[in-house]
Amino acid sequence: MSKKVIIVGASHGGHEAIRELLNRYNDIDITLFESGDFISFMSCGMELYLENKVTNVNDVRNFGPDTFTEPNVHVLNNHTVTKINSDKKTVTVKDNNGQVKDYPYDKLILSSGVTPNSLPVRGTDLENVYLMRGKDWATKIKSKLTDPSVKNMTIIGAGYIGIEAAEASVKAGKHVTLLDMIDRPLGTYLDKDMTDILNKELTDKGVDVEMGQAITEFEGKDGKVTAVKTKTNEFPSDVVIQAAGVKANTSWMKGTVDLDNRGWMKTNEYLQTNVPDVYAIGDATLAYSIPAESHMPIALATVARREARYVSKHLFEKKPDVPFKGVVGSSALSVFDYHFAQSGLNSTTAKRAGVNIKTSFYEDRLRPPYVPVGKDNPKVYVYLAYKPDSHQIVGGAVLSKYDITAQDNALSLAISNKMHLEDLADADFFFQPGFDRQWSLLNLAAQHALGESKF
């Protein structure tokens, strides 16, 4: 008799779980429930859609309902899981027609994801106040970018999503104001040396960067938003995009699955919840951070897929032979002409995790001095975070107008394998002057962190 596996959520974690389960097992019946209508929009591709760099909005997805043609896979959209009945090993599901039904499971994988925050201020229900996640919001925003009557776009939140919204809006010819309570854009992802460079890039490209702003109200007229008010200012706004963080889609689990005080799902070292045969993966969990040596929210597609791979591999073991190794947390972004990638901890996240670090910021040229300064020999920047006593590398980032983001993959490996500055300073990387210098950029950054003389 086939074992029944139920998956909740159709984004990266749910998609990967189906793939992995089909690769590993024959006697298995898989049902995935997705509360939304569209399976499954890839929100990290939204900027490309807004900038007309995709084939079609319906293609910006991980998979569709017809991707898996196997008879033992059932992908059901417009189905919301409302309850886990752990005593009966069933989930209660409500469809869009209001019908309620219980479905049995042998194993349950929760990949419920997150929802964008809507600010707790007056006026969020006004017309043209948007969130930036999912296909529906993407198409609404796109329509405003091509609307000549829309002049002023106000973006709330200076993280990745807010920066993407700001750039797409500027490229569409809009006047853009970027607001956040923090003191610098991308301040939770990068240290000040790098955010100073990117702040200048934003302003040079026409973005009005207004940090340290506490939103108090969205003003409107005739039901449409007209301005965003803060404690110190007022910003005319034809459209407002809220990109101010996310919340876990876990309220329906409260009292059954152990959650922290913000609603993130807790798991053990095997990604098992407190409920037998129930596992949790993806954005709504507290992921195990290798550099922090503790659990924290790390909402990345790469994390969800690695967790799904691990869970699928060990799903039917009474006790897995190895725990989940954990993740580093790596991501990348373009900010107009600049490209950066970062891995692990920075000053902000290290402080939150209670990890004492030292940091180093290195600036150089990508290639030897005999290559003329310019687009083929641009400025490059490397940030390293490490433990003061052991020199273990726990974080890093690279930045340049030239795309050196792939170098961050080496940093991620170094962090994952708990390498030290001394290891990175001596690491055997290739040299060819059409690509880099006699010592690789990462070698030089580590040597700089160790206080060695400039090469």
Side-chain angles (χ1 to χ4, degrees):
M1 184 176 176
S2 296
K3 297 181 175 67
K4 294 184 181 297
V5 178
I6 287 179
I7 303 167
V8 179
S11 192
H12 294 281
H15 176 227
E16 190 65 34
I18 295 177
R19 288 186 63 251
E20 297 290 341
L21 292 169
L22 289 175
N23 286 336
R24 298 178 189 280
Y25 308 103
N26 296 318
D27 58 338
I28 194 170
D29 186 85
I30 305 168
T31 301
L32 183 145
F33 295 112
E34 166 58 39
S35 62
D37 176 63
F38 190 82
I39 295 177
S40 65
F41 191 76
M42 194 181 298
S43 290
C44 50
M46 190 182 292
E47 183 184 5
L48 295 176
Y49 163 65
L50 296 177
E51 295 180 4
N52 300 311
K53 295 178 180 179
V54 302
T55 50
N56 184 281
V57 66
N58 292 320
D59 298 333
V60 187
R61 64 200 314 171
N62 289 297
F63 71 108
D66 301 323
T67 298
F68 298 103
T69 58
E70 294 82 353
N72 60 326
V73 178
H74 320 282
V75 177
L76 303 176
N77 62 335
N78 295 318
H79 281 66
T80 302
V81 180
T82 61
K83 188 178 180 183
I84 301 169
N85 309 299
S86 57
D87 54 337
K88 302 175 185 177
K89 293 191 73 172
T90 65
V91 292
T92 300
V93 183
K94 183 178 181 179
D95 67 21
N96 267 18
N97 297 318
Q99 294 184 328
V100 178
K101 182 179 177 180
D102 286 353
Y103 292 79
Y105 65 83
D106 292 301
K107 302 288 182 180
L108 174 62
I109 300 174
L110 302 174
S111 183
S112 55
V114 295
T115 301
N117 284 324
S118 184
L119 295 178
V121 299
R122 189 170 67 178
T124 54
D125 58 343
L126 289 168
E127 189 177 338
N128 295 340
V129 176
Y130 297 148
L131 299 171
M132 192 165 166
R133 192 179 183 91
K135 180 190 173 187
D136 289 346
W137 290 113
T139 54
K140 288 177 181 178
I141 294 169
K142 182 69 171 290
S143 70
K144 297 303 177 182
L145 294 182
T146 56
D147 184 345
S149 69
V150 173
K151 307 296 184 184
N152 297 305
M153 305 272 292
T154 299
I155 317 298
I156 300 173
Y160 278 31
I161 295 171
I163 296 296
E164 289 179 334
E167 182 166 346
S169 300
V170 166
K171 290 178 177 177
K174 309 302 182 184
H175 173 259
V176 177
T177 303
L178 181 66
L179 306 177
D180 206 319
M181 291 184 65
I182 62 177
D183 62 347
R184 51 200 171 83
L186 297 165
T188 57
Y189 300 94
L190 298 169
D191 274 33
K192 191 174 185 300
D193 292 303
M194 286 190 171
T195 59
D196 283 350
I197 296 168
L198 295 177
N199 187 86
K200 184 177 185 302
E201 177 72 357
L202 288 165
T203 56
D204 286 349
K205 290 299 192 291
V207 178
D208 288 344
V209 179
E210 300 284 348
M211 297 292 100
Q213 297 286 340
I215 313 299
T216 59
E217 181 184 354
F218 298 151
E219 288 191 331
K221 183 179 180 180
D222 299 327
K224 293 184 178 181
V225 70
T226 57
V228 175
K229 292 187 70 174
T230 71
K231 288 183 177 180
T232 59
N233 213 332
E234 182 172 324
F235 301 93
S237 308
D238 300 312
V239 171
V240 174
I241 298 176
Q242 298 185 82
V246 295
K247 58 185 176 183
N249 293 326
T250 58
S251 59
W252 61 276
M253 306 175 195
K254 193 172 182 180
T256 303
V257 174
D258 281 349
L259 310 173
D260 77 349
N261 59 5
R262 295 182 59 201
W264 307 105
M265 289 183 281
K266 298 180 181 180
T267 62
N268 64 12
E269 65 270 36
Y270 307 115
L271 304 185
Q272 300 164 333
T273 70
N274 60 298
V275 182
D277 297 314
V278 178
Y279 300 75
I281 61 175
D283 291 359
T285 68
L286 293 169
Y288 182 74
S289 164
I290 294 172
E293 298 182 332
S294 62
H295 289 83
M296 60 175 58
I298 307 177
L300 293 169
T302 51
V303 173
R305 291 191 178 275
R306 280 153 183 77
E307 290 175 335
R309 183 178 177 90
Y310 172 86
V311 165
S312 300
K313 182 178 180 180
H314 299 284
L315 191 61
F316 297 104
E317 298 174 8
K318 187 173 183 180
K319 182 179 179 181
D321 54 355
V322 293
F324 180 61
K325 180 181 178 180
V327 293
V328 170
S330 300
S331 58
L333 188 71
S334 291
V335 183
F336 292 100
D337 293 339
Y338 278 95
H339 316 280
F340 78 84
Q342 64 83 35
S343 291
L345 302 177
N346 55 54
S347 293
T348 299
T349 54
K351 184 177 181 180
R352 289 177 184 170
V355 178
N356 183 32
I357 64 168
K358 288 188 69 174
T359 65
S360 172
F361 180 70
Y362 180 69
E363 176 183 340
D364 211 326
R365 293 281 174 181
L366 183 61
R367 299 190 175 109
Y370 56 78
V371 178
V373 171
K375 67 181 182 66
D376 291 326
N377 193 13
K379 283 188 175 181
V380 288
Y381 309 91
V382 181
Y383 163 86
L384 294 175
Y386 56 94
K387 294 183 178 180
D389 295 331
S390 66
H391 290 177
Q392 178 188 332
I393 303 167
V394 294
V398 294
L399 170 70
S400 179
K401 288 188 175 181
Y402 192 89
D403 188 358
I404 61 169
T405 52
Q407 300 236 20
D408 187 68
N409 287 327
L411 286 178
S412 181
L413 277 173
I415 296 165
S416 179
N417 289 284
K418 300 185 177 182
M419 292 173 61
H420 300 81
L421 290 176
E422 290 80 0
D423 301 316
L424 188 59
D426 292 340
D428 189 2
F429 298 123
F430 76 86
F431 162 62
Q432 211 287 334
F435 296 96
D436 63 357
R437 302 179 62 187
Q438 298 94 320
W439 282 102
S440 171
L441 175 62
L442 297 185
N443 293 138
L444 293 170
Q447 292 169 12
H448 173 76
L450 290 168
E452 298 180 12
S453 59
K454 188 175 178 67
F455 176 73

